[in-house]
Amino acid sequence: MIRAMVRRVLVLAAAFATALTPVICLGESSKPLPAKATRELPAELLSLLEQKKMPKYSPIVVRLFKEEAELEVWKQDATDRFQILKTYPICRWSGDLGPKLYEGDRQAPEGFYTITPELMNPNSNFHLSINLGFPNTFDKANKRNGSFLMIHGDCWSSGCYAMTDEQISEIYSLARDSFLGGRPSFQVQAYPFRLTPANLARHRNSPNLAFWKMLKIGNDHFETTRLEPRVDVCDRRYVFDARPPPNSPSPPVFNPAEKCPPLRRQSGNRAAGAGEEALRRARIRAIA
């Protein structure tokens, strides 16, 4: 039954992508769906879903933290808010703290990525894999390039986030089931570390600080509202949950490389202002 449902999801994705198979991600895409891609969630994870009042086919959000080497799966519960379901230790990630800039730099990406069914690879040479879709709109606007950046199994990484085969099996199945629930995509948020004021103060001399503070706005939206932030790109930067000014006759139009349209002040910017004060205090403590 579940195998047939997965096939229907991939066929629906194909209608939009004009292809009947997932994107080639380190493996052959022409093979039939293997059992590992259609396997039911483990009994203990199904029990955890029930305990947390999370419908099996509700949407997910995945968060990655390099420095802590952790992958979090959040899932929508019966109140339609996202709650933490499970945290997995990342087996390996490559490169340093900071975003991926170009092909061959061996950096694992940082940013906000949208995963659609065609980015799921059931025939990966690394057990199972989920293509992050790098470069995204923000990356392209900033002339960053690279390809085949994954969350995958086999505990080996060259620019990817590598998990054990057992871990990726659970993560892949949770992602698959979120598509079966009718959601066309899910979000991956990839961070250098947990974006607390203390951690930002600790890395205050990094050339990536401005980039990380921008990511923090989206991070804070999610942690405050427990809703997936809507992500747009303009002026070569991320914009989160953007709303037009009052009485605007039409919705804002975003061009990744051009100036942002008139927008209402983001609620996240108020949080960012409070975060700046907390960051200032953390810097003082760090120096002291």
Side-chain angles (χ1 to χ4, degrees), residues 192-213:
F193 41 76
R194 296 190 182 277
L195 295 175
T196 63
N199 281 342
L200 287 169
R202 187 162 51 86
H203 293 282
R204 62 189 177 277
N205 295 322
S206 170
N208 297 306
L209 183 61
F211 172 68
W212 293 337
K213 286 163 72 174

Side-chain angles (χ1 to χ4, degrees), residues 111-133:
F112 288 75
Y113 296 89
T114 300
I115 312 303
T116 52
E118 61 268 22
L119 295 178
M120 305 273 287
N121 184 15
N123 297 306
S124 172
N125 289 337
F126 294 81
H127 194 62
L128 293 163
S129 65
I130 300 171
N131 190 325
L132 288 172

Side-chain angles (χ1 to χ4, degrees), residues 7-234:
R7 288 189 185 281
R8 284 199 292 273
V9 167
L10 293 179
V11 169
L12 286 172
F16 296 100
T18 66
L20 284 175
T21 53
V23 165
I24 297 174
C25 315
L26 310 177
E28 294 295 329
S29 63
S30 59
K31 299 177 183 177
L33 283 175
K36 63 186 177 181
T38 60
R39 187 172 294 128
E40 178 61 280
L41 291 171
E44 58 269 25
L45 195 50
L46 289 170
S47 176
L48 187 60
L49 290 175
E50 185 176 357
Q51 174 188 328
K52 290 177 175 281
K53 296 181 172 54
M54 296 172 173
K56 181 182 176 185
Y57 298 110
S58 69
I60 66 168
V61 166
V62 172
R63 304 210 302 168
L64 296 155
F65 300 93
K66 285 181 176 177
E67 193 168 58
E68 292 84 357
E70 290 181 339
L71 181 153
E72 294 179 343
V73 176
W74 291 63
K75 196 163 175 65
Q76 205 173 71
D77 64 15
T79 70
D80 291 334
R81 303 279 172 166
F82 285 92
Q83 307 294 341
I84 185 72
L85 171 64
K86 189 170 179 178
T87 301
Y88 299 87
I90 296 173
C91 192
R92 289 188 182 180
W93 58 271
S94 66
D96 300 310
L97 301 181
K100 183 172 183 64
L101 301 179
Y102 57 87
E103 185 82 62
D105 64 4
R106 300 177 66 85
Q107 281 287 104
E110 295 173 9
F112 288 75
Y113 296 89
T114 300
I115 312 303
T116 52
E118 61 268 22
L119 295 178
M120 305 273 287
N121 184 15
N123 297 306
S124 172
N125 289 337
F126 294 81
H127 194 62
L128 293 163
S129 65
I130 300 171
N131 190 325
L132 288 172
F134 181 95
N136 64 13
T137 304
F138 171 87
D139 300 319
K140 291 174 183 175
N142 286 277
K143 303 188 185 309
R144 299 175 180 178
N145 60 77
S147 55
F148 302 132
L149 283 306
M150 314 284 171
I151 303 170
H152 61 62
D154 203 40
C155 195
W156 183 88
S157 174
S158 179
C160 297
Y161 292 95
M163 315 299 293
T164 66
D165 290 354
E166 181 181 1
Q167 290 169 339
I168 193 61
S169 291
E170 286 192 8
I171 297 162
Y172 189 98
S173 294
L174 287 164
R176 176 202 66 210
D177 286 354
S178 75
F179 292 130
L180 293 175
R183 192 70 176 262
S185 64
F186 69 90
Q187 190 175 88
V188 171
Q189 305 171 7
Y191 299 114
F193 41 76
R194 296 190 182 277
L195 295 175
T196 63
N199 281 342
L200 287 169
R202 187 162 51 86
H203 293 282
R204 62 189 177 277
N205 295 322
S206 170
N208 297 306
L209 183 61
F211 172 68
W212 293 337
K213 286 163 72 174
M214 177 177 57
L215 296 187
K216 179 172 170 57
I217 296 174
N219 171 82
D220 291 354
H221 273 231
F222 180 72
E223 292 192 346
T224 301
T225 67
R226 301 298 175 96
L227 298 172
E228 178 183 296
R230 189 178 73 252
V231 181
D232 292 291
V233 179
C234 56

